[in-house]
Amino acid sequence: MIRNYFQTFFTVFISVLGTIQGQEIQIFTVEDFDLMGDVKKCLVSTDYGKEEYDFNKNGLLTKSVTRYNEQDYDVVYYKYSKGELLEKRSESYRNNTFDASTSIAHFYEIDSTDNIKIQERIFSYDKQFIDEYIYYYDEFGDIISIKRTNNDGTDVTQVEHKKFKGENTVTYLLNDLPIKSIRTSTLKPKNKPAQNVVLTKEYLNGEENFAFEEVYSLDGKLMAQQEFEYDTSAKKFVPTTRTTYEYDQKGMLVAETAKRGAGIIKKEYIYQYDNSEVGNWVKQIVTPDNTYTTRKIFYYPPQLKTDEE
């Protein structure tokens, strides 16, 4: 799967649902950073700064650092228990000084006595309450509502799940108005492998506003993405940019072609790999921009195996 993590701040440890106020909790592992094997630390250098990622022996992200320059950086710490996220602490440093005004802490509690319920409480570092979210799940493990409480009151986002002719649609509604919908289906074209298609629509004040469709191979690689803009006069979505992706035999992204009208922009990706058994890439060159990302990867030492007596 494509992971342009070097263009995204993964210190945000939630999956933002468009304009939705609540967020579903998501745990990241080494695979989410396009890494393989027993990685302990990964140092990334990009054109916008440097990033650092630390992982525990189970492959879970425990610390991330985004450095904008030598004096300005953000640090996020993650604490787990039995593979579940318990705490996330986001700390900001400016001019090498800790900034308590923009640093926050998230605390999570899981109640599994009946259907799963997760509570997230957010505080500032000066112990001021900011937000509380409660995520409710049904007996199948699907989220059904998100309750947000803060000093301004309480909002409840309902989550509807519908299945029809092989299509699964998840719709998020705030005050009975849709704010986002995600429809997933499987296509089986003739003489071609089956594909998963995900259509995401975003709404503004309950009205359709923007959409994009993603096509994935069955092993999770993003093959194409089509963007749409809503034409209010014609009252329909109009396709704009379509991007296709190509991979090599290792499953690495090697080409990306974006078409919008008569314009075509193509990028190609070239990799250099380390000497580890898994062969992680340590340099990625993008042409024709001639930009590059480098990574320095540290691994946990192999565990010694003893013969059973």
Side-chain angles (χ1 to χ4, degrees):
M1 183 181 297
I2 293 177
R3 293 186 174 89
N4 290 321
Y5 69 90
F6 48 88
Q7 297 175 347
T8 307
F9 295 110
F10 270 83
T11 53
V12 180
F13 205 71
I14 50 180
S15 178
V16 179
L17 300 174
T19 57
I20 190 170
Q21 295 299 315
Q23 298 94 13
E24 292 180 64
I25 300 166
Q26 186 175 4
I27 293 177
F28 289 106
T29 67
V30 292
E31 288 84 2
D32 294 298
F33 297 84
D34 204 9
L35 292 164
M36 299 180 291
D38 297 326
V39 176
K40 182 177 183 180
K41 179 187 284 286
C42 180
L43 307 179
V44 185
S45 296
T46 70
D47 54 354
Y48 63 77
K50 296 182 179 180
E51 297 181 10
E52 304 172 15
Y53 304 106
D54 290 11
F55 304 92
N56 63 19
K57 290 186 177 181
N58 293 322
L60 299 177
L61 180 67
T62 59
K63 177 184 175 183
S64 64
V65 182
T66 300
R67 298 186 181 275
Y68 312 102
N69 52 56
E70 292 300 322
Q71 296 183 329
D72 301 328
Y73 54 95
D74 295 324
V75 185
V76 185
Y77 299 94
Y78 310 98
K79 182 179 179 180
Y80 305 90
S81 176
K82 298 179 180 179
E84 300 290 349
L85 182 64
L86 292 184
E87 290 183 22
K88 181 186 76 169
R89 294 180 176 268
S90 305
E91 301 179 353
S92 296
Y93 294 82
R94 298 298 180 266
N95 295 319
N96 279 329
T97 302
F98 174 67
D99 186 355
S101 65
T102 58
S103 299
I104 58 176
H106 303 245
F107 301 95
Y108 303 92
E109 291 185 14
I110 300 176
D111 182 354
S112 58
T113 53
D114 194 1
N115 293 337
I116 293 293
K117 180 177 71 175
I118 301 176
Q119 180 191 53
E120 176 186 11
R121 304 192 74 198
I122 307 173
F123 294 86
S124 66
Y125 264 54
D126 56 4
K127 299 183 180 180
Q128 296 295 315
F129 171 74
I130 299 176
D131 270 315
E132 178 190 74
Y133 294 97
I134 301 180
Y135 309 90
Y136 298 90
Y137 297 79
D138 62 16
E139 65 272 23
F140 305 107
D142 293 325
I143 190 166
I144 55 175
S145 69
I146 303 169
K147 180 180 178 180
R148 180 194 185 189
T149 303
N150 57 24
N151 294 330
D152 296 326
T154 299
D155 288 321
V156 177
T157 299
Q158 299 295 335
V159 186
E160 295 182 349
H161 298 262
K162 293 183 179 180
K163 296 183 179 181
F164 180 72
K165 294 184 178 181
E167 295 182 347
N168 297 330
T169 302
V170 182
T171 304
Y172 295 83
L173 302 104
L174 182 62
N175 299 324
D176 295 325
L177 293 178
I179 52 179
K180 192 182 190 88
S181 68
I182 304 171
R183 187 188 72 194
T184 304
S185 58
T186 300
L187 291 181
K188 298 179 180 179
K190 293 183 178 179
N191 302 322
K192 291 184 179 180
Q195 298 174 323
N196 291 325
V197 180
V198 181
L199 175 63
T200 302
K201 292 183 180 181
E202 298 179 357
Y203 299 79
L204 182 62
N205 298 323
E207 301 292 333
E208 294 176 318
N209 182 53
F210 177 76
F212 58 94
E213 183 182 74
E214 298 168 304
V215 179
Y216 292 90
S217 62
L218 293 186
D219 61 356
K221 292 185 178 63
L222 179 61
M223 307 303 295
Q225 177 174 290
Q226 176 68 63
E227 298 179 14
F228 300 88
E229 293 179 355
Y230 192 74
D231 187 332
T232 55
S233 59
K235 295 184 178 181
K236 65 177 182 179
F237 279 109
V238 178
T240 55
T241 302
R242 180 174 178 80
T243 306
T244 56
Y245 305 91
E246 301 175 33
Y247 301 84
D248 62 14
Q249 293 181 346
K250 295 182 179 180
M252 299 298 296
L253 175 68
V254 293
E256 173 184 332
T257 305
K259 297 181 179 180
R260 186 183 180 101
I264 298 177
I265 299 176
K266 184 171 183 177
K267 296 181 180 180
E268 294 185 343
Y269 297 82
I270 303 170
Y271 301 91
Q272 296 177 3
Y273 298 88
D274 64 12
N275 294 321
S276 66
E277 292 183 357
V278 292
N280 282 304
W281 67 264
V282 291
K283 187 172 185 178
Q284 180 195 64
I285 303 170
V286 183
T287 62
D289 302 343
N290 288 327
T291 59
Y292 63 89
T293 298
T294 60
R295 307 196 301 186
K296 190 173 184 180
I297 302 171
F298 302 86
Y299 298 88
Y300 282 102
Q303 294 182 351
L304 296 178
K305 296 182 181 180
T306 57
D307 296 332
E308 296 182 357
E309 297 182 356

